Amino acid sequence: MFVEAWIGNGCLAVEYNGYKQLIQIVVKREQERILGLVGGDVRVFNALIHVMICAGLADGLFLAEIKDWYPEEWGMIHSYAKKHAVSGVQRTDFLTGLLKDAAQDILTGTEKLHVLYPDIIKEYMFLYYLDGDDIVELSRKLWNTVPEDYNAFLGRCLTDFQHEDHLIAFIREQSSDYGNLNAMAVRQSLLAFKIIASEEDARYFLQRDLEEYKYWKEVPVTAENSELCLQGLYLCVRQLFGWSRQESFEAIDLVVSFEAVGGLCVTKVQHLLEFAHYLIEKDCVTSAQNVIRKAEAALADLGDSEEKKELYLSIQREIIVSDVYYKKWDDIEKRQKEITQNTNFSNERQSELYAYVLFSGALKCQETLEWSGEHLLMFTDALQDYAEDYAAGRRGIYFNDKVHYYYLHAKLISTEVTATGAFLAGMREIALKWIDGLIDEIKNNMMISDFAGLLVGARALKVGFDDSVTDEMTAAYLEEADELLACYPDSELLAEKTIDLWETAYGEQYKSLYPEI
């Protein structure tokens, strides 16, 4: 986009303040181009822009659809074609060519108009060229013809351009009487995650979120809007969590008391589990346990189903992690046995969740420095048994990449702990044997991003424990980590373990400061 603006400026540097000004430069350049196509006729230009905005919402529009759905705009464009083209086939070709040229539609062999601008350009054109009356009129048409596409488009506009007060006012006005379900669906985009660049932004968005919470908690729930209402309250909780507002717990209680039916009963439990998970990850464990109890009560109301069994395992994960936090080891042991008995290991999803529960317990032990052998190994040994049972074919169980990752990551945690204990006890060879065995086990798998992070983490252990590792070997490990990062640049685990390797390499092996990059 910047390159286009630069070219349009005669290959001279473009000065702009913020991305909106850069987009405006591109849009104005397009405006001049399209005006040139129609000889400067502003009325025809406006008609083309309206048609392009409508066609850009979805996968294009057929010419017949433009004629039927937008007769006023079609009439202006058609009149222009009548004045500038010979009748018959040539006029039809001229009309089609004009629409396609305006929209930069290079697709051939179809009478369908596609608008090939990036989405953010389409959104800005909508906001830039349509005033309040235009939006009202166009919305009436689009909500009748392509409601889902239009809802998604308006949602992107509100998310990408978060300070467009005239569009916000329009959506709020349209949804104020709770009758326009489309406007209510779009309104939820006001509760999307936000970019806060200043204190003024923070005050603005906090006030807006509190206004949205007031709206959603007052909506009269009906059979038609119940899904929207539950989703609205869920989004309010997420935003209020972000602001660390006490109202978040009030909103959770509204979700708990929400009278869900059918599939929404499952959705309600899923929302409560997400709230509990968030609170546990933020170490708000007492509050999380309160939410867990409410999730368990909601789960009990569900009929027997595979979804209920999966939700049961998800709840156990949150309970196990909170119990590790409070060191309730006897309760954990009993619960772990219960989980094992209630898991159908021939079901792939239940197998994944079972492994996730055990891995999460091991990870929480590591995070809380609860490295007592018997406590940590309570989880890691169970995963080891699971892997060995699968390898020996002792029970029909699933063991996919996700389960494999949980098993190997838990093994990396336990290897670090047990190797440290063995090393301190003078059993250096045993410690190195465990580390080398883990490295070999990871390397014997087809490499994926998560396994790559575990491999680099195991390399860091080897550098830290093994005195026989040379500078050349360490350099090779660092080079290997760089190559893996190039393959999997989005892997957080790989980045974390690469940092561990660098710290160990320069702190233990090279005994020097990090090089400047």
Side-chain angles (χ1 to χ4, degrees), residues 442-468:
I442 297 172
K443 286 174 61 180
N444 286 334
N445 294 283
M446 182 179 294
M447 194 55 59
I448 59 176
S449 61
D450 289 332
F451 291 175
L454 299 178
L455 176 60
V456 173
R459 296 288 198 202
L461 288 182
K462 183 168 181 63
V463 173
F465 281 98
D466 193 347
D467 294 338
S468 67

PDB file of all heavy atoms in Angstrom, residues 442-468:
ATOM      1  N   ILE A 442      13.074 -37.276  20.936  1.00  0.00           N
ATOM      2  CA  ILE A 442      12.490 -36.154  20.198  1.00  0.00           C
ATOM      3  C   ILE A 442      12.959 -36.170  18.754  1.00  0.00           C
ATOM      4  O   ILE A 442      12.160 -35.968  17.821  1.00  0.00           O
ATOM      5  CB  ILE A 442      12.854 -34.811  20.869  1.00  0.00           C
ATOM      6  CG1 ILE A 442      12.272 -34.741  22.286  1.00  0.00           C
ATOM      7  CG2 ILE A 442      12.334 -33.641  20.036  1.00  0.00           C
ATOM      8  CD1 ILE A 442      12.737 -33.544  23.097  1.00  0.00           C
ATOM      9  N   LYS A 443      14.243 -36.414  18.535  1.00  0.00           N
ATOM     10  CA  LYS A 443      14.796 -36.396  17.178  1.00  0.00           C
ATOM     11  C   LYS A 443      14.216 -37.501  16.301  1.00  0.00           C
ATOM     12  O   LYS A 443      14.193 -37.367  15.067  1.00  0.00           O
ATOM     13  CB  LYS A 443      16.322 -36.538  17.230  1.00  0.00           C
ATOM     14  CG  LYS A 443      17.040 -35.280  17.714  1.00  0.00           C
ATOM     15  CD  LYS A 443      18.532 -35.529  17.884  1.00  0.00           C
ATOM     16  CE  LYS A 443      19.185 -35.928  16.565  1.00  0.00           C
ATOM     17  NZ  LYS A 443      20.637 -36.159  16.745  1.00  0.00           N
ATOM     18  N   ASN A 444      13.760 -38.582  16.901  1.00  0.00           N
ATOM     19  CA  ASN A 444      13.233 -39.702  16.122  1.00  0.00           C
ATOM     20  C   ASN A 444      11.837 -39.446  15.572  1.00  0.00           C
ATOM     21  O   ASN A 444      11.266 -40.310  14.902  1.00  0.00           O
ATOM     22  CB  ASN A 444      13.209 -40.976  16.976  1.00  0.00           C
ATOM     23  CG  ASN A 444      14.603 -41.550  17.175  1.00  0.00           C
ATOM     24  OD1 ASN A 444      15.497 -41.329  16.355  1.00  0.00           O
ATOM     25  ND2 ASN A 444      14.806 -42.269  18.262  1.00  0.00           N
ATOM     26  N   ASN A 445      11.284 -38.268  15.861  1.00  0.00           N
ATOM     27  CA  ASN A 445       9.953 -37.919  15.352  1.00  0.00           C
ATOM     28  C   ASN A 445      10.071 -36.967  14.166  1.00  0.00           C
ATOM     29  O   ASN A 445      11.063 -36.242  14.031  1.00  0.00           O
ATOM     30  CB  ASN A 445       9.126 -37.240  16.449  1.00  0.00           C
ATOM     31  CG  ASN A 445       8.803 -38.171  17.591  1.00  0.00           C
ATOM     32  OD1 ASN A 445       7.924 -39.012  17.482  1.00  0.00           O
ATOM     33  ND2 ASN A 445       9.534 -38.042  18.697  1.00  0.00           N
ATOM     34  N   MET A 446       9.055 -36.992  13.313  1.00  0.00           N
ATOM     35  CA  MET A 446       8.992 -35.993  12.249  1.00  0.00           C
ATOM     36  C   MET A 446       8.876 -34.618  12.904  1.00  0.00           C
ATOM     37  O   MET A 446       8.013 -34.392  13.758  1.00  0.00           O
ATOM     38  CB  MET A 446       7.791 -36.256  11.336  1.00  0.00           C
ATOM     39  CG  MET A 446       7.686 -35.269  10.171  1.00  0.00           C
ATOM     40  SD  MET A 446       6.266 -35.637   9.101  1.00  0.00           S
ATOM     41  CE  MET A 446       6.782 -37.220   8.430  1.00  0.00           C
ATOM     42  N   MET A 447       9.747 -33.693  12.529  1.00  0.00           N
ATOM     43  CA  MET A 447       9.842 -32.418  13.223  1.00  0.00           C
ATOM     44  C   MET A 447       8.645 -31.523  12.905  1.00  0.00           C
ATOM     45  O   MET A 447       8.276 -31.333  11.752  1.00  0.00           O
ATOM     46  CB  MET A 447      11.141 -31.705  12.846  1.00  0.00           C
ATOM     47  CG  MET A 447      11.492 -30.537  13.752  1.00  0.00           C
ATOM     48  SD  MET A 447      11.554 -30.991  15.526  1.00  0.00           S
ATOM     49  CE  MET A 447      12.820 -32.255  15.525  1.00  0.00           C
ATOM     50  N   ILE A 448       7.998 -31.016  13.947  1.00  0.00           N
ATOM     51  CA  ILE A 448       6.977 -29.991  13.839  1.00  0.00           C
ATOM     52  C   ILE A 448       7.358 -28.879  14.806  1.00  0.00           C
ATOM     53  O   ILE A 448       8.302 -29.013  15.579  1.00  0.00           O
ATOM     54  CB  ILE A 448       5.569 -30.541  14.156  1.00  0.00           C
ATOM     55  CG1 ILE A 448       5.512 -31.125  15.571  1.00  0.00           C
ATOM     56  CG2 ILE A 448       5.133 -31.583  13.130  1.00  0.00           C
ATOM     57  CD1 ILE A 448       4.129 -31.600  15.981  1.00  0.00           C
ATOM     58  N   SER A 449       6.624 -27.772  14.767  1.00  0.00           N
ATOM     59  CA  SER A 449       7.060 -26.598  15.534  1.00  0.00           C
ATOM     60  C   SER A 449       7.162 -26.892  17.032  1.00  0.00           C
ATOM     61  O   SER A 449       8.129 -26.481  17.685  1.00  0.00           O
ATOM     62  CB  SER A 449       6.098 -25.432  15.293  1.00  0.00           C
ATOM     63  OG  SER A 449       4.791 -25.762  15.720  1.00  0.00           O
ATOM     64  N   ASP A 450       6.173 -27.605  17.598  1.00  0.00           N
ATOM     65  CA  ASP A 450       6.209 -27.877  19.036  1.00  0.00           C
ATOM     66  C   ASP A 450       7.362 -28.801  19.406  1.00  0.00           C
ATOM     67  O   ASP A 450       8.028 -28.603  20.429  1.00  0.00           O
ATOM     68  CB  ASP A 450       4.885 -28.497  19.477  1.00  0.00           C
ATOM     69  CG  ASP A 450       3.747 -27.491  19.460  1.00  0.00           C
ATOM     70  OD1 ASP A 450       4.025 -26.292  19.638  1.00  0.00           O
ATOM     71  OD2 ASP A 450       2.594 -27.898  19.268  1.00  0.00           O
ATOM     72  N   PHE A 451       7.607 -29.813  18.585  1.00  0.00           N
ATOM     73  CA  PHE A 451       8.726 -30.718  18.852  1.00  0.00           C
ATOM     74  C   PHE A 451      10.049 -29.972  18.734  1.00  0.00           C
ATOM     75  O   PHE A 451      11.011 -30.268  19.463  1.00  0.00           O
ATOM     76  CB  PHE A 451       8.707 -31.895  17.883  1.00  0.00           C
ATOM     77  CG  PHE A 451       7.564 -32.861  18.096  1.00  0.00           C
ATOM     78  CD1 PHE A 451       7.361 -33.919  17.230  1.00  0.00           C
ATOM     79  CD2 PHE A 451       6.693 -32.719  19.161  1.00  0.00           C
ATOM     80  CE1 PHE A 451       6.310 -34.812  17.416  1.00  0.00           C
ATOM     81  CE2 PHE A 451       5.640 -33.599  19.365  1.00  0.00           C
ATOM     82  CZ  PHE A 451       5.454 -34.649  18.482  1.00  0.00           C
ATOM     83  N   ALA A 452      10.117 -29.002  17.816  1.00  0.00           N
ATOM     84  CA  ALA A 452      11.344 -28.218  17.651  1.00  0.00           C
ATOM     85  C   ALA A 452      11.682 -27.477  18.943  1.00  0.00           C
ATOM     86  O   ALA A 452      12.840 -27.441  19.377  1.00  0.00           O
ATOM     87  CB  ALA A 452      11.187 -27.230  16.497  1.00  0.00           C
ATOM     88  N   GLY A 453      10.677 -26.894  19.580  1.00  0.00           N
ATOM     89  CA  GLY A 453      10.916 -26.200  20.848  1.00  0.00           C
ATOM     90  C   GLY A 453      11.407 -27.141  21.929  1.00  0.00           C
ATOM     91  O   GLY A 453      12.296 -26.795  22.719  1.00  0.00           O
ATOM     92  N   LEU A 454      10.847 -28.350  21.963  1.00  0.00           N
ATOM     93  CA  LEU A 454      11.273 -29.330  22.964  1.00  0.00           C
ATOM     94  C   LEU A 454      12.706 -29.787  22.713  1.00  0.00           C
ATOM     95  O   LEU A 454      13.483 -29.982  23.662  1.00  0.00           O
ATOM     96  CB  LEU A 454      10.328 -30.526  22.949  1.00  0.00           C
ATOM     97  CG  LEU A 454       8.862 -30.222  23.284  1.00  0.00           C
ATOM     98  CD1 LEU A 454       8.022 -31.484  23.184  1.00  0.00           C
ATOM     99  CD2 LEU A 454       8.735 -29.608  24.672  1.00  0.00           C
ATOM    100  N   LEU A 455      13.062 -29.956  21.431  1.00  0.00           N
ATOM    101  CA  LEU A 455      14.425 -30.364  21.107  1.00  0.00           C
ATOM    102  C   LEU A 455      15.431 -29.313  21.567  1.00  0.00           C
ATOM    103  O   LEU A 455      16.468 -29.644  22.184  1.00  0.00           O
ATOM    104  CB  LEU A 455      14.560 -30.600  19.601  1.00  0.00           C
ATOM    105  CG  LEU A 455      15.962 -30.950  19.096  1.00  0.00           C
ATOM    106  CD1 LEU A 455      16.475 -32.239  19.736  1.00  0.00           C
ATOM    107  CD2 LEU A 455      15.983 -31.064  17.571  1.00  0.00           C
ATOM    108  N   VAL A 456      15.148 -28.051  21.283  1.00  0.00           N
ATOM    109  CA  VAL A 456      16.063 -26.978  21.696  1.00  0.00           C
ATOM    110  C   VAL A 456      16.122 -26.902  23.219  1.00  0.00           C
ATOM    111  O   VAL A 456      17.192 -26.684  23.804  1.00  0.00           O
ATOM    112  CB  VAL A 456      15.624 -25.632  21.084  1.00  0.00           C
ATOM    113  CG1 VAL A 456      16.466 -24.485  21.645  1.00  0.00           C
ATOM    114  CG2 VAL A 456      15.745 -25.672  19.566  1.00  0.00           C
ATOM    115  N   GLY A 457      14.982 -27.128  23.892  1.00  0.00           N
ATOM    116  CA  GLY A 457      14.994 -27.142  25.352  1.00  0.00           C
ATOM    117  C   GLY A 457      15.858 -28.254  25.904  1.00  0.00           C
ATOM    118  O   GLY A 457      16.584 -28.064  26.897  1.00  0.00           O
ATOM    119  N   ALA A 458      15.804 -29.432  25.265  1.00  0.00           N
ATOM    120  CA  ALA A 458      16.646 -30.552  25.698  1.00  0.00           C
ATOM    121  C   ALA A 458      18.127 -30.267  25.431  1.00  0.00           C
ATOM    122  O   ALA A 458      19.006 -30.652  26.225  1.00  0.00           O
ATOM    123  CB  ALA A 458      16.209 -31.826  24.986  1.00  0.00           C
ATOM    124  N   ARG A 459      18.408 -29.593  24.324  1.00  0.00           N
ATOM    125  CA  ARG A 459      19.800 -29.186  24.036  1.00  0.00           C
ATOM    126  C   ARG A 459      20.315 -28.260  25.134  1.00  0.00           C
ATOM    127  O   ARG A 459      21.483 -28.349  25.551  1.00  0.00           O
ATOM    128  CB  ARG A 459      19.868 -28.459  22.695  1.00  0.00           C
ATOM    129  CG  ARG A 459      19.503 -29.277  21.480  1.00  0.00           C
ATOM    130  CD  ARG A 459      20.541 -30.292  21.121  1.00  0.00           C
ATOM    131  NE  ARG A 459      20.381 -30.763  19.759  1.00  0.00           N
ATOM    132  CZ  ARG A 459      20.860 -31.924  19.303  1.00  0.00           C
ATOM    133  NH1 ARG A 459      21.520 -32.732  20.132  1.00  0.00           N
ATOM    134  NH2 ARG A 459      20.689 -32.279  18.047  1.00  0.00           N
ATOM    135  N   ALA A 460      19.465 -27.353  25.597  1.00  0.00           N
ATOM    136  CA  ALA A 460      19.880 -26.435  26.671  1.00  0.00           C
ATOM    137  C   ALA A 460      20.231 -27.215  27.931  1.00  0.00           C
ATOM    138  O   ALA A 460      21.213 -26.890  28.629  1.00  0.00           O
ATOM    139  CB  ALA A 460      18.773 -25.419  26.940  1.00  0.00           C
ATOM    140  N   LEU A 461      19.441 -28.258  28.234  1.00  0.00           N
ATOM    141  CA  LEU A 461      19.768 -29.097  29.387  1.00  0.00           C
ATOM    142  C   LEU A 461      21.132 -29.760  29.214  1.00  0.00           C
ATOM    143  O   LEU A 461      21.943 -29.817  30.149  1.00  0.00           O
ATOM    144  CB  LEU A 461      18.703 -30.178  29.577  1.00  0.00           C
ATOM    145  CG  LEU A 461      17.320 -29.752  30.099  1.00  0.00           C
ATOM    146  CD1 LEU A 461      16.433 -30.980  30.271  1.00  0.00           C
ATOM    147  CD2 LEU A 461      17.453 -29.017  31.422  1.00  0.00           C
ATOM    148  N   LYS A 462      21.394 -30.252  28.028  1.00  0.00           N
ATOM    149  CA  LYS A 462      22.668 -30.947  27.785  1.00  0.00           C
ATOM    150  C   LYS A 462      23.850 -29.998  27.965  1.00  0.00           C
ATOM    151  O   LYS A 462      24.854 -30.341  28.594  1.00  0.00           O
ATOM    152  CB  LYS A 462      22.687 -31.559  26.388  1.00  0.00           C
ATOM    153  CG  LYS A 462      23.959 -32.367  26.114  1.00  0.00           C
ATOM    154  CD  LYS A 462      23.838 -33.189  24.854  1.00  0.00           C
ATOM    155  CE  LYS A 462      25.113 -34.005  24.601  1.00  0.00           C
ATOM    156  NZ  LYS A 462      25.362 -35.005  25.673  1.00  0.00           N
ATOM    157  N   VAL A 463      23.729 -28.791  27.410  1.00  0.00           N
ATOM    158  CA  VAL A 463      24.820 -27.822  27.559  1.00  0.00           C
ATOM    159  C   VAL A 463      25.025 -27.484  29.033  1.00  0.00           C
ATOM    160  O   VAL A 463      26.161 -27.324  29.501  1.00  0.00           O
ATOM    161  CB  VAL A 463      24.526 -26.550  26.741  1.00  0.00           C
ATOM    162  CG1 VAL A 463      25.573 -25.465  27.022  1.00  0.00           C
ATOM    163  CG2 VAL A 463      24.490 -26.863  25.247  1.00  0.00           C
ATOM    164  N   GLY A 464      23.924 -27.385  29.766  1.00  0.00           N
ATOM    165  CA  GLY A 464      24.032 -27.008  31.172  1.00  0.00           C
ATOM    166  C   GLY A 464      24.599 -28.101  32.057  1.00  0.00           C
ATOM    167  O   GLY A 464      25.282 -27.802  33.040  1.00  0.00           O
ATOM    168  N   PHE A 465      24.358 -29.384  31.702  1.00  0.00           N
ATOM    169  CA  PHE A 465      24.768 -30.486  32.576  1.00  0.00           C
ATOM    170  C   PHE A 465      26.025 -31.218  32.108  1.00  0.00           C
ATOM    171  O   PHE A 465      26.770 -31.769  32.933  1.00  0.00           O
ATOM    172  CB  PHE A 465      23.630 -31.514  32.689  1.00  0.00           C
ATOM    173  CG  PHE A 465      22.531 -31.113  33.629  1.00  0.00           C
ATOM    174  CD1 PHE A 465      21.369 -30.532  33.160  1.00  0.00           C
ATOM    175  CD2 PHE A 465      22.654 -31.321  35.000  1.00  0.00           C
ATOM    176  CE1 PHE A 465      20.351 -30.173  34.016  1.00  0.00           C
ATOM    177  CE2 PHE A 465      21.643 -30.966  35.869  1.00  0.00           C
ATOM    178  CZ  PHE A 465      20.489 -30.385  35.376  1.00  0.00           C
ATOM    179  N   ASP A 466      26.269 -31.248  30.812  1.00  0.00           N
ATOM    180  CA  ASP A 466      27.309 -32.128  30.263  1.00  0.00           C
ATOM    181  C   ASP A 466      28.622 -31.366  30.063  1.00  0.00           C
ATOM    182  O   ASP A 466      28.735 -30.519  29.168  1.00  0.00           O
ATOM    183  CB  ASP A 466      26.831 -32.720  28.934  1.00  0.00           C
ATOM    184  CG  ASP A 466      27.705 -33.866  28.470  1.00  0.00           C
ATOM    185  OD1 ASP A 466      28.809 -34.045  29.022  1.00  0.00           O
ATOM    186  OD2 ASP A 466      27.286 -34.579  27.542  1.00  0.00           O
ATOM    187  N   ASP A 467      29.623 -31.685  30.898  1.00  0.00           N
ATOM    188  CA  ASP A 467      30.929 -31.011  30.804  1.00  0.00           C
ATOM    189  C   ASP A 467      31.675 -31.371  29.524  1.00  0.00           C
ATOM    190  O   ASP A 467      32.629 -30.677  29.141  1.00  0.00           O
ATOM    191  CB  ASP A 467      31.803 -31.374  32.014  1.00  0.00           C
ATOM    192  CG  ASP A 467      31.230 -30.822  33.308  1.00  0.00           C
ATOM    193  OD1 ASP A 467      30.450 -29.845  33.232  1.00  0.00           O
ATOM    194  OD2 ASP A 467      31.554 -31.364  34.383  1.00  0.00           O
ATOM    195  N   SER A 468      31.299 -32.464  28.877  1.00  0.00           N
ATOM    196  CA  SER A 468      32.006 -32.886  27.660  1.00  0.00           C
ATOM    197  C   SER A 468      31.547 -32.130  26.419  1.00  0.00           C
ATOM    198  O   SER A 468      32.126 -32.288  25.337  1.00  0.00           O
ATOM    199  CB  SER A 468      31.804 -34.391  27.434  1.00  0.00           C
ATOM    200  OG  SER A 468      30.449 -34.681  27.127  1.00  0.00           O
TER     201      SER A 468
END
